[in-house]
Amino acid sequence: MPFLQLRMSLPIGRSHHYAILFYMRLTVIFLVLGMLHVSAAGYSQKVSVSGDNIPLKKVFQAIEKQTDYVFVYYETDIDDSKTVTLHMTNVELTTLLDRCLKDLPVYYSISSKTIFIKKKSPQLAVLIPPATPAFHSDSINIHGKVIDERGNPVPSVTITVKGTRLKAITDENGEFVLKDLSKNSVLIFSSINTEPFETNVGGRAELQISLKKKFVTLGNAEVSYFTGYQTLASSRATGSFVQIDQNLFNRAASSDVLDKLKGITNGLLFDQNSGNSYGITIRGKSTLFSSTQPLIVVDNFPYVGDINNLNPNDVESVTILKDAAAASIWGTSAGNGVIVITTKKGKLLQAPKVNFESNIIIGNKPDLYYQPQLKSADYISVEQYLFGQGYYDGNISSEYLSISPAVQILLNRRNGTISSSDSLSQLNALSQIDVRRDIDKYFLRHSILQQYNIGVSGGGQNETYCLTAGYMKNLSNKAGASNDRYSIKANNSYRLFDYKLRFDADLSFNRTSLSDFAALGAFNPLISDYPYQQLADSKGNPLAVIGGSSGLNSSYTDTAGQGYLLDWKLRPLDELRRHYSQLTNATTDYRANLAATYSIIRPLSISVMYQYYQSVSNTFNRYGKNSFFVRNLVNEYSQIDFANAIITRPIPAGDILNRTNTTSRSDYGRVQLNFNETFNGKHSVAVLGGYEVRDDKIDSYTDGLYGYDPNSATSVIVDYITYFPFYYGYNAQRIPFTQSQYGLETKNISYYVNLGYNFQGKYLVSGSLRKDESNLFGVSENQRGVPLGHFGLGWNMEKERFYSIRWLPHLKLSATYGYNGLVNNNVSALLTSSPFGSNIYNVNSSSIVNPPNPSLRWEKVKNINLGLEFSSKNDRVSGTIEYYIKNGQDLIGASPVAPQTGITSFVGNTANTHALGFDIQLNSTNVRNKFFRWTSNLILNTNKNKVTVYKDQQGSNTDVISSFISARINYPINSIFAFKWGGLDAVGNPQGYLNGKLSEDYASMLYSKDSTSYMFKGSAIPKVYGSLRNTFTYKFIDLSFNIVYKFDYYFRRYTLNYSSLFSGNYFQPDFEKRWQQSGDEKWTNVPSLIYPSDGTRDLFYNQSAVSVERADNIRLQDIRIALNFTRDQIPLLPFSTFAICLYVNNIAILWKANDKQIDPDAISGYPIPRTYSIGLKAEF
Amino acid sequence: MKNAVIFYQFFLFACLTIVSLGCKKSYLDTKPSTAIIQPNSLQDLIDLMENPGILNATGALPVLACDDYYYLDKAGWQAARTATERNTYIWAKDVYGGETRIMDWNAPYQSIFYANNVLEGLQTIDDSLESSTFKFVKGWAYFTRAFEMYDLVKNYAPAFDSSSASTDLGIPLKLHAAINDVEPRATVKETYDQILSDLNIATQLLPSNYPAQHLNHPSKISAYGLFARIYLSMRNYQKAGMYADSSLLLYSYLIDYNSLDTTSNRPFPIQNPESIFSIGQVTKYPSTIYFNIGQRISIDTTLYDSYDPNDLRRCIFFQSPSPGQHIVKQGYLGVGVYPYTGIAVDEMYLIRAEAYARMGNSNAALKDLNTLLAARFRSAAFNNVTASSATEALSKILNERRKELVWRGIRWSDLKRLNKEGANISLTRTLNGETYTLGPNDPRYIFNIPQDEIVLSGIRQNAR
């Protein structure tokens, strides 16, 4: 990143630390000419500030630099938009303050080296309790401690006694001593990083004061990381953390929490091959078959349920824990890294603040033309060819098996019922139809997502509150589908018994519901039966379709039952328009988080935390009596006695209702002892140790009702035992029995201890140990637990005396080592089985799920992290560079075993993996002047991994190539292998290599172990990825765009498969490029069409090297424009701040390595459609 | 302040509760899922055996390869869903054409795996009471192992021949549940010894009453029946006849086909009173299933025509979806489309009859044959079969055997056995004028062992 300005620093005057900074093209100049006289007695310090439209904060900053005064103010009162023009040199502080606050709605008061800036309204006064009258005039000595809202000591807080010159400053441990005070003295607590606070001593000799941290970024304000167990100041942390603050988190418009982290989070990869439902991994994969999903923690506890149910507006900040030092406190849950989400809370001494936010996101329709498919005319020509080969004769010979409209025309011609010109014109008409037109018209729509949020927060002297409510409604791209979410959250915090006891309560309620059409029979609008399917006639009237390969022939359903049966046609459009069937789900989540922290004796405190979570989910699948689902089922089971004109219907012709109720409950309790002490002012020790108990339980049941009448809520009893003959064909089935239930319960007990030590803030040592025990099945008692931990070192180099790099005022090095664990609950050391209900003889039966494996162990991930953190003067350039090694050990893997064992794959501790990589983040302010600022944020992640040990034997070539995880020693965890490609032969057959020679023996290439037949193509997961975000701020306009990139990986594209084409899958690429005549082999790699198709020939071609492409791509992820207004700019504004935000997401691929028009993030399906959103945000 | 004290007390209480909870050792003994069982009771082991989907599956290759059916035309053959169906039909050297996960091999071994797990599970159960249930489950597991090993050996090894059995390659004998042990192929003799030994144990443990409601349960009746079937295939006719006799002594009910609905597609109930052990084929191949509609195949015309018009089997076993095409209806399993390969009373009559005939007792042989046929022909039209010699009786019995046990997977091992006897039966198929022939005792009577087994265990492949 080139810097557009020249910077230099010159020592001027007597004092070495005063400097003049010249910024080229800079219009604001702070002329700091030195402090003339320092006096504790009055305000006689002289200051100089000069510049046009300087933000007020900058003025305060300049004053703080020139004097030993500190400013204390509410962020809301002084924001960036308040500017002054000043040209004052060497004037009295008060003169300057008077001058610069003259036209602003604030006033100042100075109290012992602290300048309080307050709003000109008296509303805050009530929050400060009146001083209690003095009963005695005896003087006392006070010992006090200042902690932040998380209970961590706050050093460097200035405590002044109101009206006196007495003052004290807290030490590393947050403690202070004041002697000879009057019992009714009023203490004022102030520091740069905390909100101001006043209290009356009231005769107390011991004081514990909790101050709210003020995240005002003045210079190098420190970031705090919350791990779920403790808050760590970044200067005290040895581990690898990434913090996403609220501004950054709110940059993207989305209803999902995780979505908002995309492209802005160092070390977090979003990729479809991530191996978990969220599609995310932190620092790559370190496991083969266990879940790769990071642990997600909200406030103190792991989030139970779907994290996307959390209202993103409730999020204050997100911290990613990447290495052992950061994450090992989470033990066996930490192997994939941890995402800690902190929710919003109120602040002490804060007037009520109301936020309102609204967002509308509009998305394009998915591009149906993205996926290659056969043109209707081509597909008809294939059908014609197969018809000639007699391929359809089997279906034709039955009266009911389905045949396509084109085959019906061909059959009519063969039977002589139509002329050849009729057949030609009818086929021509079909080939003009493209089903995508109808799907796009009737089944897709622009998505619309609306979000509304409102919140109130504030706090008094002893309590804080934050109440939020949100509503989200989403109409997705799929016509007929919608979902919404209501969320309410209340966070309260009380400080009792002179701050000895702190009590926190966080209650939240979420209700999500979704509605969709349950089914369109067997018809899937996105996978229609034929490319020339017509869903509506020219007037838009619904037309019948066959409904997949299991559908019935249309000429059969025309006449079947001679009028006794229900209409047997499936008209998808009718089903959709008339809401014949409906799927609804409502999920209600309740969550109560309670915590109490009590200071027992000075360095020791105890916390007790408890979380209760309950989620009740109800799913109703209602198939209306008019739905095809019901009509079809009723007809299938119907029996007609034509002679007596009696129809018997074992399944009544009424609604069918399937209901599922799932209740999840989680109890999570924690008792933790905290010890914080500084010895001799040099040795700081912070120890926490605790004990956790967790119990997660899920109960679910499903039932089904036939002949359901929604008006009377009654249903009909059916016979589940008898095998009823189907109306057509020769099958007999029982009536589907949908009743089932299951229960899951996971219990854990954990013990943990975490130690932090530092010497003068320079040298940091950290360590932790944790043992998790669970009711993991089939493990003997002594194997239930696994101890995990870490050891870390850190060095704040800038605090060394010898450190003299002036342009780099912050430099920190750290190194950590440790183990995180991974749980795989799918395997067991002992034989396990699973019941599956009754067999045909109505007796309970069960299946083996897990063969015995007595040597099974837990998976572990060894982590080594080396970190470098730096920032240049004034944060012009800052960043982190981290190098890590992650070694998965005892990984549970599946490998093929000889079928004679009774199973075909074995799961056990079979593999070790090795991964290394860099996580680099660079932030730079390229231009910074009065009106304009340009900042860049670069994220660069690399991850190179390979399998180092794989104990089980390799299967045949096809096991290596086809399985996604091939686990070959010395190759990446997700490797793509492919058969070597020998081109097409003279008749269009694909050729490979067997034992080094060109071969067409596909079966041998596929099923032998001849490793010369295939080659390694590369990793399926990007080895290099990241993003570059640029932000431009001009006055109140904020423009930013994010470019994300993924490099060095491969994907296997879909290639033509004749077997699949013949069975009706018309989603085939390159059909036009197939070998058709001699000589074609010179220009094409697409094999010729042969009949009957050869499955191994298709498979060989599909898995050959010609199907593998480089996936590298760069995309413009999003652009965001925000307009931020404040009341100062527009006095009539009814809000204190008001912002409008325009955001476009999923914009375009700027560059990709493949030339096949394939988006590597959408190898199957469709690329995520572009969305446009507009958002409003107001605060008052 | 009062509230604060309450909160405080509440938290101390919560704290104590959590601590005391954690102290309970049993806290972690909770079962993590209702869907997971650690089978350690007799009932859990029974539940594993009560799994017809897994345990009651036998190979279908013998049906595909035998001469009971033909493809109507080459197009129909080409349109067959799997290469295995096409290749088996023309007795190609390579049966699977690159297809893997061959259920004909995997399913029986999966059943053996279940049986071995149950046998090992039983060892941990205190059986001092020697309860009848315990004995039954144990017998069931041994019976299963014998049944499935025999299903494998008849398909993947040469017919039993006492002169070469100790050198002919049989199958891997998996006698333990451990999945890390891979067994080489035992000889045919070792294989049959093991099967007979398992079956012997089973016979002693199994009850002798007929399991009318649970035809997936073996009993002494079916154990004797399996003995009879195996000894017959070993051409030990004396023992075959003896065991068939033992089986029939315990249970000999024959359905009078006159009582069945000949128009029904499902003439037999699930509780088929003639079946003594119900088991079906794997359903991987659309050509072998019942009602193989949509497949261009038909029952062999000569075979179909050999059923007398008064023979009820003609319309109870078959139906004709189009002129000249005859397909199989649902058979003795009485449910689903899985062809029946179990043991039924009719087979016992036929084995005993054959044994009598081979031992020269044509009267006894014909008596058994007529008992059976009387239940198969229209009552009014039935005349007793007669024979002038034991040889003629044998020939008639073998003829009826083919007609009675059609589509039950028995024809293939009969062909192997009869050709060993010198029957000199050649099979031919014709596709578009091209003729394929399978001569007597051709090595192609033995199927290839699936390639995934060969690659992963390195056992020896059959030379075809």
Side-chain angles (χ1 to χ4, degrees), chain A residues 691 725 730 743 745 833 845 1007, chain B residues 22 29 32 34 37 50 98 266 319:
Chain A
Y691 168 81
Y730 309 95
E745 184 160 18
S833 64
S845 56
Y1007 302 109
Chain B
D29 289 337
T34 56
I37 294 167
E50 289 281 8
R266 286 156 296 278
Q319 66 119 277

Side-chain angles (χ1 to χ4, degrees), chain A residues 389-390 393-394 397-398 400-401 496-497 503 594-596 598 608 669 671 691 693-695 723 725 729-732 742-745 747-749 773-775 777-778 781 784 830-836 839-841 843-848 851-852 896-904 906 953 955-956 1003 1007 1009 1091-1093 1096, chain B residues 1 4-5 7-8 10-11 15 18-19 22-23 25 27-39 44 47-48 50-52 54 75 78-79 86 97-101 105-106 109-110 113-114 117 172 174 179 181-183 213-216 265-266 270-271 278 291 293-294 296 319 321 327 335 337 451-453 455-457 459:
Chain A
Q389 295 288 333
D393 290 358
S397 69
S398 99
Y400 61 89
L401 291 176
L496 306 162
F497 308 132
F503 177 72
L594 305 171
Y598 184 70
V608 182
V671 182
Y691 168 81
V693 183
R694 179 178 184 181
D695 184 355
Y723 280 81
Y730 309 95
N731 204 355
Y742 69 86
L744 302 171
E745 184 160 18
K747 287 181 168 183
N748 287 287
I749 294 179
E773 296 181 347
S774 82
N775 66 332
F777 212 43
E781 206 168 299
R784 272 178 181 158
L830 302 175
L831 175 74
T832 56
S833 64
S834 171
F836 69 85
N839 64 19
I840 53 167
Y841 305 102
V843 176
N844 281 339
S845 56
S846 63
S847 301
I848 291 178
V897 285
Q900 62 157 278
T901 58
I903 56 174
T904 49
F906 166 74
Q953 56 174 319
S956 64
Y1007 302 109
K1009 284 179 159 179
Y1091 182 84
S1093 64
T1096 57
Chain B
M1 196 49 80
V5 172
F7 280 136
Y8 185 38
F10 168 75
F11 266 97
C15 166
I18 291 164
V19 170
C23 291
K25 263 275 173 248
Y27 181 75
L28 294 179
D29 289 337
T30 313
K31 211 175 106 171
S33 167
T34 56
I36 300 278
I37 294 167
Q38 192 178 313
D44 294 339
D47 287 353
L48 281 179
E50 289 281 8
N51 197 334
I54 286 169
Q78 284 182 322
R86 289 192 292 271
E99 287 165 352
T100 52
R101 305 256 156 151
W105 178 269
N106 294 9
Y109 272 115
Q110 199 178 8
F113 172 66
Y114 270 61
N117 272 299
K174 281 292 294 177
I179 51 166
D181 304 339
V182 170
E183 300 292 336
Q213 297 299 314
H214 303 281
L215 294 176
N216 60 327
N265 290 319
R266 286 156 296 278
I270 297 175
Q271 270 86 26
S278 279
F291 318 119
I293 193 86
R296 301 281 292 151
Q319 66 119 277
I327 61 169
V335 62
V337 293
Q451 189 60 22
D452 37 0
E453 174 69 41
V455 167
L456 290 161
S457 65
I459 59 172

Side-chain angles (χ1 to χ4, degrees), chain A residues 1104-1139:
Chain A
S1104 71
V1106 289
S1107 71
V1108 180
E1109 304 283 338
R1110 255 194 107 91
D1112 307 32
N1113 66 86
I1114 303 174
R1115 64 181 76 221
L1116 177 57
Q1117 182 63 42
D1118 58 24
I1119 297 179
R1120 178 184 192 265
I1121 302 169
L1123 308 173
N1124 301 302
F1125 304 103
T1126 63
R1127 193 177 282 154
D1128 304 307
Q1129 294 159 330
I1130 307 163
L1132 288 174
L1133 198 69
F1135 313 105
S1136 57
T1137 64
F1138 179 71

Side-chain angles (χ1 to χ4, degrees), chain A residues 14 92 306 515 635 790 817 821 843 964 1088 1106 1119 1151 1155:
Chain A
R14 292 169 297 188
E92 287 286 330
D306 184 355
S515 166
N635 284 349
H790 92 276
Y817 172 90
V843 176
F964 177 60
S1088 59
V1106 289
I1119 297 179
W1151 172 85
D1155 57 359

Side-chain angles (χ1 to χ4, degrees), chain A residues 303-306 309 484-487 509-514 584-591 613-620 660-664:
Chain A
Y303 193 87
V304 198
D306 184 355
N309 287 345
D484 59 19
R485 172 179 68 211
Y486 298 88
S487 48
F509 168 86
N510 256 307
R511 186 180 164 86
T512 58
S513 40
L514 73 86
T584 55
N585 170 276
T587 303
T588 311
D589 287 0
Y590 312 87
R591 197 181 309 269
Y613 164 82
Q614 188 178 331
S615 166
V616 180
S617 166
N618 277 302
T619 305
F620 293 88
T660 301
N661 172 293
T662 305
T663 306
S664 315

Side-chain angles (χ1 to χ4, degrees), chain A residues 398-452:
Chain A
S398 99
E399 57 169 343
Y400 61 89
L401 291 176
S402 69
I403 52 174
S404 76
V407 172
Q408 186 63 52
I409 295 168
L410 296 168
L411 181 64
N412 292 346
R413 175 70 204 118
R414 187 166 80 186
N415 294 340
T417 54
I418 56 171
S419 69
S420 70
S421 64
D422 283 351
S423 131
L424 204 63
S425 68
Q426 285 175 15
L427 288 176
N428 262 338
L430 279 188
S431 60
Q432 300 309 312
I433 301 167
D434 187 336
V435 68
R436 290 174 290 195
R437 280 195 295 261
D438 279 356
I439 296 171
D440 189 71
K441 188 170 172 186
Y442 298 112
F443 286 91
L444 297 180
R445 64 181 177 197
H446 288 279
S447 64
I448 301 174
L449 189 144
Q450 305 167 65
Q451 291 186 90
Y452 305 95

